[in-house]
Amino acid sequence: MTLAEIEQLLQQSVDRALGALAGAKSADELESCRVQYLGQKGFLSQAKKSVGQLPTVDDKKKAGKLANDADARLGKAYDEHKQRIEAAAREAELAERWDVTLPGRRALRGRRHPLTVTADDILDVLGALGFVRAEGPEIEHDWYNFEALNVPRDHPARDMQDTFYIDDDVVLRTHTSPVQVRAMLAIGKPPIRVACYGRVYRNDHDITHSPMFHQVEGLYVDGSVTFGDLKGTLQVFVERIFGAKSKVRLRPSFFPFTEPSVEVDVSCFSCNGTGSGGATVGDDGRCRLCKATGWIEIMGAGMVDPEVLRFGGLDPDKLTGFAFGIGVERVAMLRWGVSDIRLFFENDRRFLRQF
Amino acid sequence: MRVSMTWLAELVELPKGTTPAQVAERLTAVGLEVEAVEDLAAPLFGVVVARVAAVEPHPQADKLRVCTVEAGGEPLSVVCGAPNVAVGARVLLARVGTVLPGGKRIEAATIRGVHSQGMLCSAQELGLPFSTDGLLLVDDKQPPGTTAAAALDREDTVFTLGVTPNRPDALSHLGVARELAAALRVRLRAAPPTCPERAGPVDDLAQVTIEDVEGCPRYAARVVEGVLVGPSPTWLVMRLAACGVRSVNNVVDVTNLVMMERGIPLHAFDYDKIGREKNRAAIVVRSARAGERLATLDGKVRELVDTDLVIADPERAIALAGVMGGADTEVSAGTTRVLLECAHFLPARVRKTARRLALHSEASHRFERGSDPNGLPASLDRAAALIAELSFDATKGPERPGTGVHNISGGRVARGIVDVAPKKILPAVVALRPKRAAQLLGLPAKAVDEATISKLLLSIGLEVDGRDAEALRFRVPTFRPDLTREVDLIEELLRLLGTDSVPATLPARASEAEGLHDPRRHRVVQAVRSALEAAGFDEAVNLAFLSPSALDPFDGGDAAGRIAIKNPLGEEMSVLRKTLLPGLLMNAATNHRRQELDVRLFEVANVFLGRNPSGKAPVREKEGAAGGDAWAREVPRIAGIATGEGGGLGFDVARKPVDFYDARGAVEQILEGIGVPCAGAASPVSFTAADHRYPFLHPRARAEVWVARKGPEGVPSRSFVGVVGELHPDLVAAYQLKSRAVGFELDVETLARVAGERPRVKALPRFPAVRRDFALVLDDKVTAADLCARLNDNGAVRGLLESLEVFDVYRGPGIPAGKRSLALALTLRAPDRTLTDDEVTRATGVLLEDARAHFGAEVRS
Ligand SMILES: [Zn+2]
């Protein structure tokens, strides 16, 4: 190209490019204008490339200046228009109307089962108290489920638990207590301090009994474990699960595998142990949750019977221990005010999604 | 066990003003849990004794009468329809405002024009245990205005005790009184009963032979002559009613009363119906003979077996020992002589028979738990004396009703007791070390010193036998068969001292062993729970029982591989689950019936896959036991189901019916959640089309999930994790679901095995990636996995390929039938430089050519 031709190209094209830039209505249009006119294949690059090929220095200088001027004008116009378009876009965004009362978009989130939540809480507390987890089978030998727990055949204590039988010597475990003996035999060396969570089965079905339910069993065996240790452990446990103001009452009772045995009551958290008023007050002013006694039975506990230690291969003259078993459904029912145990196993979405 | 407060008060020197609530609190504190407290007078509140002063016919109704009654205060007019209303009778008046036990409220009313100020009551209307017709009449000695509760011996409180099976002694008022006295630190009134003997020697009348000494260590009997069988007096009826026992006749009632009082069951035979030997009634205690039959008191004929223990005469069985009497020798209206039995039977024998025949009686309940072998004479004395006393009924005159026989002298007890005790049961002697008590309970030594221990144990009937160097020795009375060891006595101390007396302490040492548990599996399960929560699945918990037919679609009816329950709650709960899916399908159905269609549920639980070959029963060895692995193969699984619509939440978010990819997506989220990557060339996960082994899944939408891993010694292998798919439409129809259902079931142990270790962090890439999109038209049979696997392996992209992903699938206009278009996103990146356009174009070209040559893929423009 000659100088004259470059001059002509710039003259014609600059005005056209300015017009096109000014006419761009969006950032996208503006960008395509920029590519078309100011890009590598646009007229400006073409002109700039041609400048270097002009024969004289003078021409080069002249044409170079013309090209730079055009570049500057177009650049400025582009920048200005870009800002205008961006400002307009912000204006438009600000003018949008949003109904902030409509719900947001989100992924559907599932819920853990209330029994899992409860068991996890219980196991967390026991974990903090130094208990490690243990597991055992759900289908259990009669020996582990009964005999090693000091419940011989034809003993009335068998009536305390309605048992599902697989055959004469095999049962669905009626409690998590067989894990006590399994843990003693497996670990062998004291201290033995385990917590077992699992499903247990009893032949019983009504509003407060499910044929399958869950228990957490705690066991601690060591050189000189005392009833006082059991009491202290249960006190901490109850405070963490039912609240710091909760009190514990231990009532003498009977389990074949502990001696002494106690039932563990927690002070009623609805009426604060007064027996009247509270969140679950009835028409007569009495607390319905604790039947006006001020106490709620939550678990059984006791000192491991010497016979059970012996079955577990331990020497009852050298070791003592305590054990306790808690019904997870019972705790969950108390916590959330669930009155029918069957709700836990129906898996109605409207129930599950309340937790 | 129902316990009467009035009765207890006769046996214990209760401090003045002791309330029922205080008694309940003390009994509970020593381990006799009071489950309920019932005020027997409460239902009679507002009911009083009234004297009928006048009876007039009702002017408007033939069957009604208008009575004037006096009940203290102004005479009242009451309309009454009972035929036995008569002038001078003492009746029970429910005053206006009274609420009767049935809930009926008495109002002042005008009945056919006559004003009535209350209601005269029958026994039924007051909920009282008398079977009389018409109005209940009371003793003439009761002054008008006396409360009905006082007039009928109903001013009492009944405690319902939950007696644990180790405490047979607490199944009697005397036993409970002993505990209460010890708990209150007051005295027990326990003078032995006396029995005047006015007839000849009992040895001339009866003889007892015990053939089965093991089953019956002791048998004692008395004979009472001149018995008058008839209704029991009010006090006796009421006392039994308080215990929840119905009145039968005075003789049977006395045996029950003495059982409730002293804890040992008694049985009364009609003496004249027992077979004779040498002119004496001959009792034989023996095992039943095979095929022997006995008609029991409840009117049924029982087929006996040789483990049953029977009371017999020389010819036949006449009672099932400890369980139930026989009909042939039952005491009836014509009975004049009674043989009273009081015996000790082996608990296990009674229990076996009672369970076999499902005959649970007050007597068997006590024998099973162990009655007191040395309390027999006192019980017989008490019962015989009372039967004799009640056989002379001064109020009804000396004539036996309807027989013309006069019973002038009343009942007479034969002299002496037939007492056969071939096997003496002596009090056990148990040693107790005070130091051991302090150590086990965590008490200071002075809290359980020798003086305290003796005082406490003596208060519940133990006696000091002597002492050793470190221990006190106690004789344990035979009514406490549960106290045989030192630790049993320590428990008694704790009961009597109260658990409040022990200071709470916290043990310090934690377990060093990991226990019986796989912590890795636990972490994986918790991670899976979190992943599924994030994927919108709610956790379900199902019972482990299924009906056999629910398993058929899953195991093809393989009954042998199932574990069945011998005594199920019902057919529909008779086998244990082998898969979690039926439970989840039932849950979906429940939700669908309740109009909840969008169900997403998962469950983590064991399934039961038949016998475990190594699960033999444990053998007891000297130290502990050997053997005893799990009897069954219990395998933890994770399963999920989704029905209805899936997708996110929001007013403008598109939701669509769930399909295979929702289920697969959940599985991918699970795997990602446990550190197994599901996307990218390095993913070890593969989903392969599954076959007929999964008939419960849609044949075209089912896949096996596999994870590749380095096996032992670095040999590559792959693990089968589980299945995923659409549930078969037939199954969905069978469960009456209202939409398609998809699901998955994975093996937890395998998940734990393939779960990623904590990863080593990789440096972030320093050079940019380049993405190229293209669409290929392919035969329908070519799977996305096959295509991607081949292209991933192409040498042209080795070391450069970051990912190759399908981002769209299209069938429809423009695509020939039997083909589909897959849109792919190819991302390339070099670790050491920025890739040039040309490099990328060249590599892409090689891939497309490979796809064309191998799969016949055409690039779709
Ligand atoms: Zn309360």
Side-chain angles (χ1 to χ4, degrees), chain A residues 268 270-273 275 280 287 289-290 294:
Chain A
C268 178
S270 182
C271 63
N272 285 323
T280 55
C287 174
L289 186 62
C290 61

Side-chain angles (χ1 to χ4, degrees), chain B residues 728-782:
Chain B
H728 199 289
D730 292 348
L731 199 56
V732 167
Y735 279 90
Q736 299 184 317
L737 301 190
K738 293 177 178 153
S739 81
R740 289 181 183 215
V742 297
F744 57 86
E745 184 160 27
L746 311 177
D747 183 70
V748 172
E749 301 282 7
T750 311
L751 285 174
R753 221 166 36 238
V754 301
E757 297 294 344
R758 203 165 281 130
R760 306 281 307 167
V761 170
K762 289 197 203 81
L764 297 180
R766 291 168 52 210
F767 296 93
V770 182
R771 169 173 162 161
R772 286 288 155 90
D773 294 351
F774 47 87
L776 295 176
V777 178
L778 289 139
D779 205 282
D780 242 350
K781 283 187 289 253
V782 179

Side-chain angles (χ1 to χ4, degrees), chain A residues 267-281 286-296:
Chain A
S267 55
C268 178
F269 33 81
S270 182
C271 63
N272 285 323
T274 60
S276 54
T280 55
V281 65
R286 290 148 54 101
C287 174
R288 278 178 299 148
L289 186 62
C290 61
K291 300 199 189 83
T293 62
W295 295 98
I296 298 168

Side-chain angles (χ1 to χ4, degrees), chain B residues 144-395:
Chain B
T146 310
T147 66
L152 294 170
D153 269 336
R154 292 288 273 189
E155 284 186 322
D156 196 358
T157 301
V158 170
F159 306 103
T160 305
L161 302 187
V163 178
T164 52
N166 61 326
R167 294 297 304 275
D169 65 298
L171 295 171
S172 69
H173 279 76
L174 189 59
V176 174
R178 187 183 300 115
E179 289 284 309
L180 183 61
L184 292 169
R185 314 268 199 270
V186 297
R187 281 178 39 158
L188 185 68
R189 293 192 192 104
T194 54
C195 181
E197 298 169 326
R198 298 198 291 130
V202 72
D203 288 339
D204 293 349
L205 296 166
Q207 67 176 54
V208 170
T209 314
I210 300 178
E211 288 179 5
D212 192 328
V213 175
E214 191 228 1
C216 178
R218 186 173 183 182
Y219 192 103
R222 267 192 181 278
V223 174
V224 188
E225 299 181 321
V227 174
L228 175 68
V229 180
S232 292
T234 302
W235 70 265
L236 179 49
V237 175
M238 286 305 177
R239 200 147 268 200
L240 289 179
C243 299
V245 177
R246 282 197 72 81
S247 170
V248 179
N249 58 45
N250 52 1
V251 174
V252 173
D253 287 359
V254 166
T255 62
N256 283 329
L257 181 89
V258 176
M259 173 172 69
M260 290 299 169
E261 181 178 286
R262 316 190 72 85
I264 308 174
L266 296 99
H267 184 66
F269 294 96
D270 184 329
Y271 173 86
D272 292 299
K273 291 176 183 159
I274 301 171
R276 295 293 192 266
E277 195 177 298
K278 294 179 207 148
N279 240 351
R280 297 187 293 186
I283 296 282
V284 183
V285 187
R286 58 168 169 83
S287 296
R289 303 194 176 102
E292 196 168 9
R293 292 154 80 92
L294 171 67
T296 43
L297 281 176
D298 54 2
K300 292 190 179 129
V301 177
R302 310 281 177 175
E303 190 92 28
L304 306 182
V305 298
D306 58 7
T307 52
D308 295 330
L309 190 67
V310 295
I311 312 303
D313 65 14
E315 275 89 48
R316 67 213 158 129
I318 56 171
L320 263 177
V323 179
M324 194 176 268
D328 287 354
T329 50
E330 183 179 3
V331 170
S332 60
T335 301
T336 59
R337 292 194 283 181
V338 163
L339 183 138
L340 273 175
E341 161 198 296
C342 191
H344 183 65
F345 301 117
L346 189 73
R349 282 292 281 282
V350 174
R351 180 176 157 82
K352 205 160 197 164
T353 298
R355 283 183 76 86
R356 185 175 66 76
L357 299 173
L359 268 175
H360 189 86
S361 62
E362 292 278 358
S364 70
H365 188 79
R366 285 168 175 77
F367 281 124
E368 281 181 29
R369 281 156 178 73
S371 57
D372 179 10
N374 296 318
L376 310 187
S379 292
L380 279 177
D381 288 351
R382 173 82 167 116
L386 202 48
I387 288 173
E389 189 185 321
L390 295 181
S391 291
F392 184 80
D393 191 338
T395 60

